[in-house]
Structures are given as C-alpha cells and as structure tokens.
C-alpha cells in the first residue's frame, strides 16, 4: 500500500518549490560570481545538484535519485566539504553543507538486505522468499530490529543537527554590505542572502528526513 496521501503530497509540493528556489538562487549567484575560484565553483555545482535532486526526489519512483550511484555521489560531496577547508573557521562553516550532503546520501541509500515479496505472503513464505532458513528466522529478525534502531538513531541525529543549523542561519542578521573588512564578512557581502538560502536548505532537508520517501 502506498504511503502517499493528499496532505503528504502537499508537503512534498511545498518542499519541491523550496528546493527549486534554492537551486535557482545558487545558479543566479554563480552567474554573478564569474571570478570565483575552483573550490567555490565546485561548491556551487554541488549545492545546485543537491537542491535539484531534493526537489525531484519526492516524485521519483526510484533510480537514479535513489540507489548506490546517488549514495556514492553525495557521500563524495560530503567528503569534499569536509576535506577542502584550509582554516578551522572555514571548516565550521562547511560542516553544515557536509552534513546536508550526508543526509542526502542517507536518504538515497538502498536498505541492505531488502527483499521484494508479495504483500499478501505469509510469514513462512516471506522467510522462504528471503532465502532464510526457518530455524534462523528469529535471529535474522533480531538483526533487522537492531538495524532499524541504528537507522532511526542516524536519522534523528542528522535531523537535529540540520534543524539547529537552520535556526542559526535563519536568525543571523544580514551582513553589513558597506562595512565588510575581514574576508568572512566580504564573502558574506557578496552573497547577502546566502544565510537564508543555507538555512532554508537545512530546514527542508531536515523535514525530508522525517517524511516517508
């Protein structure tokens, strides 16, 4: 039975609009920053790819937005944000997009050991279809429970962190465009709506983690 309901579709529609606006804003910022360095250009490409994928994910029946390829891509994107900063202060700022990419990889993963069986199959038929000897079914069921608990914990941690990042970004004051002296403030002045965009992206990702998809 499908998990889709009119209310869920409405939420997905609002999230799709949010992520589409974020993707367009990233593209607009990229066009306005033709002299950006290599790292900044890669950052913008990854941000845009994630926003576009998140916009399409609720309506995708499966591949290519879920599965191993997407998981590998967004895991690599998360590592890019973690491994490319040169200073500790920059690392802190890049931790949020890294966690966002990790969350996308987590949502796009294929649960290990998933077996396609008929919804009307009996427990004995389900065990047989999975190739699990009946004598070991109880042990396998216990392992599945452990895996489900671990998956829930990972989802809760990612969601809590992203909600905190969203709150922090969306409540920041706008940068002073004329009084930008240090590099961090000059960077913010070139992208004055960056905090709002990043906060909206983190908030939308946190909500997506909690929704069935």
């Amino acid at each position: 039975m499908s998990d889709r309901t009119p209310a869920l579709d409405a939420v997905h529609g609002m999230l799709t609009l949010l992520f589409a606006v974020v993707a367009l804003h990233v593209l607009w910022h990229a066009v306005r920053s033709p002299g950006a360095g290599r790292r900044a250009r890669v950052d913008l490409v990854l941000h845009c790819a994630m926003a576009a994928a998140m916009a399409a994910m609720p309506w995708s029946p499966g591949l290519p937005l879920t599965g191993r390829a997407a998981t590998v891509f967004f895991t690599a994107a998360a590592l890019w944000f973690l491994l490319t900063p040169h200073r500790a202060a920059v690392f802190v700022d890049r931790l949020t997009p890294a966690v966002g990419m990790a969350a996308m990889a987590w949502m796009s993963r294929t649960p290990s050991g998933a077996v396609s069986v008929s919804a009307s199959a009996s427990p004995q038929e389900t065990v047989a279809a999975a190739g699990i000897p009946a004598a070991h079914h109880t042990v396998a069921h216990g392992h599945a429970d452990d895996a489900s608990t671990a998956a829930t914990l990972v989802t809760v941690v990612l969601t809590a962190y992203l909600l905190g990042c969203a709150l922090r970004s969306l409540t920041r004051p706008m940068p002073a465009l004329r009084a930008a002296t240090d590099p961090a403030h000059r960077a913010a002045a070139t992208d004055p709506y960056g905090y709002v965009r990043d906060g909206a992206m983190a908030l939308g990702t946190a909500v997506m983690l909690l929704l069935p998809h």
Side-chain angles (χ1 to χ4, degrees):
M1 181 180 296
S2 173
D3 290 330
R4 303 196 74 89
T5 64
L8 181 60
D9 283 344
V11 174
H12 279 158
M14 289 186 287
L15 289 172
T16 295
L17 179 61
L18 171 68
F19 291 125
V21 170
V22 169
L24 290 174
H25 185 270
V26 172
L27 288 175
W28 178 72
H29 180 60
V31 170
R32 292 179 61 248
S33 308
R38 180 179 62 88
R39 189 181 71 177
R41 288 197 299 271
V42 174
D43 288 354
L44 291 172
V45 168
L46 293 177
H47 279 302
C48 188
M50 179 179 172
M54 292 286 277
M57 178 179 277
W59 317 106
S60 171
L63 296 175
L65 297 180
T66 59
R68 182 171 299 176
T71 302
V72 170
F73 175 82
F74 288 107
T75 299
L79 292 174
W80 164 265
F81 282 102
L82 288 176
L83 300 179
T84 52
H86 303 300
R87 299 187 306 276
V90 177
F91 177 83
V92 173
D93 287 338
R94 293 173 71 79
L95 190 57
T96 299
V99 173
M101 296 292 172
M104 184 64 185
W106 179 249
M107 287 186 284
S108 64
R109 79 195 189 287
T110 301
S112 60
V115 178
S116 176
V117 295
S118 171
S120 61
S122 67
Q124 292 79 10
E125 291 170 336
T126 302
V127 171
I132 303 173
H136 300 301
H137 175 56
T138 302
V139 175
H141 184 70
H143 287 192
D145 287 344
D146 291 343
S148 178
T149 300
T152 300
L153 180 60
V154 171
T155 299
V156 168
V157 171
L158 289 171
T159 302
Y161 183 85
L162 289 169
L163 285 175
C165 292
L167 182 63
R168 175 173 174 266
S169 293
L170 293 174
T171 56
R172 279 186 176 184
M174 292 290 290
L177 301 183
R178 296 183 179 179
T181 55
D182 60 278
H185 284 83
R186 283 200 302 270
T190 62
D191 188 16
Y193 301 104
Y195 291 144
V196 177
R197 181 191 65 226
D198 295 344
M201 189 73 178
L203 179 61
T205 306
V207 174
M208 281 287 288
L209 279 164
L210 298 176
L211 294 177
H213 48 268

